[in-house]
Amino acid sequence: MTAASATETVETVFRIESARIIAGVTRIVRDVGIAEELAQDALVAALEQWPESGVPDKPGAWLMATAKHRAIDLVRRKETYARKLAEVGRTLEDVPPPEPADATDPDGIDDDLLRLIFTACHPVLSTQARIALALKLLGGLTTEEIARAFLTSEATVAQRIVRAKRTLAKAGVPFEVPYGADRAARLSSVLEVIYLVFNEGYSATVGDDLVRPALCEDALRLVRILAGLMPREPEVHGLAALLEFQASRIAARTGPDGEPVLLADQNRSRWNRMLIRRGIEALERAGHGPYSVQAAIAACHAQAVRYEDTDWATIAALYGRLMTLTPSPVVELNRAVAVSMSEGPAAGLKLVDALADEPALRAYHLLPSVRGDLLERLGRGEEARREFERAASLTRNARERKLLLERASRSAK
């Protein structure tokens, strides 16, 4: 193996294993910031040694063992060695065995990676900080990649991550999987972060591209890990199902030049059938919460062979159920679209007009966009044009703006 290929192998293995390494080391040092530095030390050691000695048989285990031994050395150098020694046990030369699950935890969940997910997504952090830290620690993205994904400066992201680590340390956030009511509260935060990361990838709020596939892949990877680690949490499977279904359509959402392709116009042969099957399997294990209901809606779309075959009446009913679980003007707007498809555009327009004065939708470009679509279907072209132009003025995504202006132009004819 050449030095270049060894280096490439090191980087690939580290990207795959970094989250587990950081999680394993955090168990020893109890600080995600220090654990990340020690994982990086192991990466540097591999970059120095593997080109000379060759790639070990179990490269991931090599990185994990190297990082853990450095963590142990660090603990030994601490003045509080005796206290730390008592915490991690008397057999520091060996890889620490898993600690027994908390006796008060009825589910007995014990996994370092799951601990890391819950730590990175602790409610003590802002949503932006949770997303940045989760992508850094769990997604294995560099600061530069995160900055590029969210169209902000590398310095801003770096500061955000540093502050997040500092906040976790200052707050004394334990490296643990909470249980009972605490778990329910923290799990909600974890799922929200994964959901937000996926949505940002699926429909970028700003920038020149409609889709950022890498973000979707990271979110999918996290929710699959979570579903494997927490098989008895129905909303985890609900979110997994939703993301699998949504991800199945990504390739068809844009044309050859990156232009948006509306659902009605998408080539369904480009939908990923494997992801749809995974979505159906996950949905069978889901419950009745908000993510599960959204997954059921996505399943209706996924199972329609043609756009004309879509079961809009069921989708409208599911949005009605979603409104009882998580009422919001955005959900109501989506319900209006489904109602317009099952009962006609006039019925949908009545619901949309009821949202006209909703403060939360004042700068939301999809409100005038949906209204423009309904007016166009009712043959009210001039009114539709004005709505599409208003929607174009509100969106910050260049691809969406272009599409909306094209629709405005067509409506005026």
Side-chain angles (χ1 to χ4, degrees), residues 158-320:
Q159 290 173 2
R160 193 173 291 163
I161 292 172
V162 168
R163 283 198 296 268
K165 293 175 187 173
R166 193 178 298 150
T167 299
L168 290 175
K170 186 177 180 181
V173 172
F175 183 61
E176 65 177 11
V177 177
Y179 59 89
D182 286 345
R183 180 185 298 172
R186 298 271 290 280
L187 178 60
S188 173
S189 174
V190 169
L191 297 181
E192 180 190 11
V193 166
I194 296 174
Y195 181 71
L196 289 173
V197 170
F198 183 90
N199 280 349
E200 183 59 31
Y202 190 72
S203 186
T205 52
V206 296
D208 295 330
D209 297 320
L210 181 69
V211 180
R212 298 173 189 168
L215 285 180
C216 294
E217 290 170 7
D218 283 328
L220 258 178
R221 189 179 69 84
L222 291 178
V223 78
R224 287 169 181 165
I225 291 172
L226 206 56
L229 297 174
M230 305 180 73
R232 286 181 286 180
E233 292 287 350
E235 268 300 81
V236 174
H237 294 294
L239 181 59
L242 173 61
L243 300 197
E244 299 280 8
F245 284 131
Q246 298 293 80
S248 74
R249 304 205 300 256
I250 286 178
R253 295 192 72 233
T254 54
D257 298 322
E259 70 275 18
V261 179
L262 298 177
L263 180 62
D265 303 323
Q266 288 179 13
N267 179 356
R268 299 190 175 212
S269 68
R270 299 188 67 198
W271 288 7
N272 188 313
R273 310 315 297 184
M274 184 192 74
L275 295 183
I276 290 175
R277 284 196 298 274
R278 291 181 63 95
I280 293 171
E281 291 170 2
L283 187 58
E284 290 172 350
R285 306 177 72 181
H288 305 285
Y291 294 122
S292 300
V293 174
Q294 290 180 74
I297 293 169
C300 288
H301 291 295
Q303 292 170 332
V305 178
R306 301 176 306 160
Y307 182 74
E308 296 77 10
D309 300 331
T310 308
D311 185 353
W312 290 107
T314 296
I315 292 175
L318 287 169
Y319 272 120

Side-chain angles (χ1 to χ4, degrees), residues 82-407:
R83 179 172 58 81
K84 294 292 184 184
L85 187 63
E87 290 178 0
V88 301
R90 297 289 179 184
T91 55
L92 288 177
E93 290 296 343
D94 300 323
V95 173
E99 294 173 358
D102 191 322
T104 58
D105 180 357
D107 294 333
I109 293 175
D110 181 55
D111 184 280
D112 285 340
L113 191 58
L114 191 57
R115 287 190 174 99
L116 186 62
I117 293 174
F118 275 93
T119 301
C121 296
H122 194 280
V124 73
L125 303 177
S126 69
T127 298
Q128 285 185 326
R130 288 179 219 164
I131 293 174
L133 191 59
L135 288 178
K136 184 75 165 58
L137 299 181
L138 300 163
L141 273 67
T142 66
T143 304
E144 181 184 2
E145 288 171 330
I146 298 171
R148 193 165 58 239
F150 288 95
L151 301 178
T152 187
S153 71
E154 190 174 348
T156 297
V157 170
Q159 290 173 2
R160 193 173 291 163
I161 292 172
V162 168
R163 283 198 296 268
K165 293 175 187 173
R166 193 178 298 150
T167 299
L168 290 175
K170 186 177 180 181
V173 172
F175 183 61
E176 65 177 11
V177 177
Y179 59 89
D182 286 345
R183 180 185 298 172
R186 298 271 290 280
L187 178 60
S188 173
S189 174
V190 169
L191 297 181
E192 180 190 11
V193 166
I194 296 174
Y195 181 71
L196 289 173
V197 170
F198 183 90
N199 280 349
E200 183 59 31
Y202 190 72
S203 186
T205 52
V206 296
D208 295 330
D209 297 320
L210 181 69
V211 180
R212 298 173 189 168
L215 285 180
C216 294
E217 290 170 7
D218 283 328
L220 258 178
R221 189 179 69 84
L222 291 178
V223 78
R224 287 169 181 165
I225 291 172
L226 206 56
L229 297 174
M230 305 180 73
R232 286 181 286 180
E233 292 287 350
E235 268 300 81
V236 174
H237 294 294
L239 181 59
L242 173 61
L243 300 197
E244 299 280 8
F245 284 131
Q246 298 293 80
S248 74
R249 304 205 300 256
I250 286 178
R253 295 192 72 233
T254 54
D257 298 322
E259 70 275 18
V261 179
L262 298 177
L263 180 62
D265 303 323
Q266 288 179 13
N267 179 356
R268 299 190 175 212
S269 68
R270 299 188 67 198
W271 288 7
N272 188 313
R273 310 315 297 184
M274 184 192 74
L275 295 183
I276 290 175
R277 284 196 298 274
R278 291 181 63 95
I280 293 171
E281 291 170 2
L283 187 58
E284 290 172 350
R285 306 177 72 181
H288 305 285
Y291 294 122
S292 300
V293 174
Q294 290 180 74
I297 293 169
C300 288
H301 291 295
Q303 292 170 332
V305 178
R306 301 176 306 160
Y307 182 74
E308 296 77 10
D309 300 331
T310 308
D311 185 353
W312 290 107
T314 296
I315 292 175
L318 287 169
Y319 272 120
R321 189 188 305 170
L322 190 59
M323 276 295 292
T324 65
L325 296 171
T326 55
S328 83
V330 172
V331 174
E332 181 63 5
L333 182 62
N334 289 331
R335 189 174 78 88
V337 173
V339 168
S340 79
M341 297 303 296
S342 63
E343 301 177 21
L349 185 61
K350 185 177 179 181
L351 294 175
V352 170
D353 285 346
L355 296 169
D357 296 327
E358 177 58 54
L361 298 182
R362 193 164 295 154
Y364 190 53
H365 71 285
L366 290 183
L367 177 62
S369 175
V370 169
R371 193 165 190 276
D373 181 73
L374 297 177
L375 290 167
E376 185 179 54
R377 288 164 57 191
L378 288 167
R380 295 159 62 177
E382 183 56 28
E383 293 173 83
R385 179 189 64 79
R386 290 197 294 270
E387 289 298 291
F388 284 132
E389 288 180 345
R390 189 160 74 91
S393 71
L394 292 174
T395 183
R396 291 186 295 159
N397 184 283
R399 296 286 186 181
E400 280 190 317
R401 186 181 305 113
K402 185 172 182 292
L403 174 65
L404 289 164
L405 290 175
E406 288 172 353
R407 295 196 70 182

Side-chain angles (χ1 to χ4, degrees), residues 61-74:
W62 189 98
L63 287 167
M64 176 71 85
T66 301
K68 282 189 171 181
H69 281 299
R70 292 183 182 225
I72 291 166
D73 289 341
L74 178 67

